[in-house]
Amino acid sequence: MTVTGQLELVAFDAPDIQRVASFYAELAGWKTVREVPEWITLRAADGQEVAFQLAPDHVAPHWPGQESPQQFHLDLQVDGIEEWALRAVGLGATRLGGGESWVTLTDPAGHPFDLCQKDGAQGVELFAVTIDTGDPAGLARFYAGLLGMEVTYDGSEGSMIAGGGKSVMFQRVEGYTRPQWPDPAHPQQAHLDINVADLDTGQARAVELGATRLKQGAANYRVFTDPDGHPFCLTL
């Protein structure tokens, strides 16, 4: 499989990036590796990174439902979901619901995330970034082709790709509502940053697979939408 880009990180929009970054740093023990006025990047113990991008007009999602959809969420694995859920609430999370093996909460910026039971988990482990979609199999093939990752699961409820120690899940949502970035009425909520060696080559491959280039960008990055409307960046 041709590797066009490498998944760098997922970046969540927030009106107060200090607050939401501090929440995940305290909950998961992730370390700050980049901090500039409009951006903070945290790194997990296994090297995966999650960033928070300043969005002063950010409108928090209202999960569940598609009027103000979540678009993205993090699946975090812990040993003892109730104990970790209590800790998260104490740090500023809001509990929404759950099941026998998971608890769904929102972070201080309103983004949902799941605490999933994993016996023997060491603290908080980032299992996957999960993206809402009306076509899990199709979106999995798109990102697998762009990132050189493998489709490791494909079922009625969703699909997953993995490679390089990272996993991305695609969750089927009935009546899925596409983001229309940069329209604040239909916000992106989050986006993926994908590293490429050459922007022209990366763009050609992304468009071939079904991406659409947007006008936004700069000399060292370009902005696209995937086939289901989620923005992502190709970066040098």
Side-chain angles (χ1 to χ4, degrees), residues 37-62:
E38 297 186 356
W39 186 279
I40 298 175
T41 302
L42 302 181
R43 181 175 295 156
D46 64 0
Q48 296 190 77
E49 294 183 351
V50 177
F52 305 96
Q53 176 175 260
L54 182 64
D57 59 354
H58 174 252
V59 177
H62 296 156

Side-chain angles (χ1 to χ4, degrees), residues 15-103:
D16 185 345
I17 59 175
Q18 287 285 351
R19 184 183 180 202
V20 70
S22 295
F23 168 80
Y24 283 104
E26 292 185 49
L27 177 67
W30 298 345
K31 305 300 183 183
T32 301
V33 293
R34 184 186 181 201
E35 184 171 354
V36 294
E38 297 186 356
W39 186 279
I40 298 175
T41 302
L42 302 181
R43 181 175 295 156
D46 64 0
Q48 296 190 77
E49 294 183 351
V50 177
F52 305 96
Q53 176 175 260
L54 182 64
D57 59 354
H58 174 252
V59 177
H62 296 156
W63 181 89
Q66 286 296 293
E67 291 209 5
S68 299
Q70 64 176 356
Q71 302 294 350
F72 282 58
H73 75 269
L74 297 178
D75 283 318
L76 307 176
Q77 294 180 319
V78 296
D79 191 352
I81 55 174
E82 290 299 333
E83 293 84 352
W84 281 99
L86 286 173
R87 180 177 179 185
V89 169
L91 293 171
T94 300
R95 184 166 181 159
L96 299 181
E100 183 177 348
S101 61
W102 81 93
V103 175

